[in-house]
Amino acid sequence: QVQLQESGPGLVKPSETLSLTCAVSGYSISSGYYWGWIRQPPGKGLEWIGSIYHSGSTYYNPSLKSRVTISVDTSKNQFSLKLSSVTAADTAVYYCARHGYPVWGSGSYFDYWGQGTLVTVSS
Amino acid sequence: QSVLTQPPSASGTPGQRVTISCSGSSSNIGSNTVNWYQQLPGTAPKLLIYSNNQRPSGVPDRFSGSKSGTSASLAISGLQSEDEADYYCAAWDDSLNGHWVFGGGTKLTVL
């Protein structure tokens, strides 16, 4: 059974960088599939942030691209998110998830999700 | 403002059939498949329907999906109290080098 677990600071100051890690168990990232980050502001809908392949190829939401970096560490079977210059608008529950289709783009979907971690941006 | 448009709320009584709509455009629903997610209160989203009308293992056949043109629908028959949740549609959007877009979500209340 594939399991994902997010970890990282729950509080980040404005203008600083948000950093989260997603540890994967039950499946080797090196075996394939794409891995992504999605966020959900309190009381609001879902927003895709970006995704990565085990080779390191990355894909970002155009609206966040200038501030987002996603990386992968296959030796630790985990991938990470960095979001720079955060503001209160970045306060959200951040989820990591697996794309359940081995090809990038249309046809894929998020089949396994982490439980999510709340990150609050405040001084 | 979400790229895909869903009604903010829907409701039904136990046993009823309820449908939730999702409207998009030619760059997303019109040319790509649609997925649906169910989010129970305080939990992570769960894949409910993928590729327009496919159910993952373990999802009851009370849940069904369809797509026509630039719109999609999720139907829930034999409504149960445990179906009370938020439902989100999602699709790949071909614009801006491609990216994933979601609907704003529909809160389903079982009366």
Side-chain angles (χ1 to χ4, degrees), chain A residues 6-10 19-21 117:
Chain A
E6 307 87 352
S7 62
S19 296
L20 296 174
T21 296
T117 186

Side-chain angles (χ1 to χ4, degrees), chain B residues 44-99:
Chain B
K46 166 192 167 185
L47 180 65
L48 195 65
I49 297 287
Y50 67 97
S51 297
N52 300 329
N53 55 18
Q54 302 299 301
R55 284 186 308 275
S57 174
V59 173
D61 60 6
R62 302 187 294 106
F63 295 91
S64 63
S66 64
K67 188 186 97 167
S68 179
T70 58
S71 294
S73 292
L74 172 70
I76 309 172
S77 59
L79 197 62
Q80 299 180 5
S81 58
E82 55 261 41
D83 298 333
E84 187 160 292
D86 293 325
Y87 293 84
Y88 293 90
C89 59
W92 176 256
D93 193 299
D94 294 326
S95 67
L96 301 173
N97 291 321
H99 58 289

Side-chain angles (χ1 to χ4, degrees), chain A residues 77-96:
Chain A
N77 213 38
Q78 63 186 36
F79 59 105
S80 300
L81 167 70
K82 290 188 185 299
L83 180 66
S84 64
S85 305
V86 298
T87 68
D90 295 310
T91 294
V93 174
Y94 285 76
Y95 297 100
C96 57

Side-chain angles (χ1 to χ4, degrees), chain A:
Chain A
Q1 177 76 349
V2 181
Q3 293 185 313
L4 299 91
Q5 179 68 58
E6 307 87 352
S7 62
L11 181 64
V12 181
K13 290 183 168 54
S15 80
E16 295 190 344
T17 296
L18 177 161
S19 296
L20 296 174
T21 296
C22 180
V24 179
S25 59
Y27 188 86
S28 172
I29 288 180
S30 298
S31 296
Y33 290 103
Y34 294 80
W35 306 84
W37 289 97
I38 301 102
R39 70 180 182 178
Q40 183 173 35
K44 297 187 178 181
L46 301 167
E47 179 181 36
W48 173 67
I49 299 170
S51 299
I52 191 166
Y53 194 53
H54 68 83
S55 63
S57 297
T58 52
Y59 308 84
Y60 299 134
N61 188 323
S63 67
L64 297 169
K65 187 174 182 178
S66 63
R67 299 194 291 130
V68 174
T69 302
I70 296 176
S71 59
V72 64
D73 187 337
T74 54
S75 66
K76 294 183 178 179
N77 213 38
Q78 63 186 36
F79 59 105
S80 300
L81 167 70
K82 290 188 185 299
L83 180 66
S84 64
S85 305
V86 298
T87 68
D90 295 310
T91 294
V93 174
Y94 285 76
Y95 297 100
C96 57
R98 188 186 83 163
H99 288 266
Y101 191 68
V103 177
W104 179 247
S106 180
S108 190
Y109 42 85
F110 296 103
D111 61 350
Y112 290 98
W113 295 65
Q115 65 184 29
T117 186
L118 174 63
V119 179
T120 301
V121 179
S122 175
S123 55

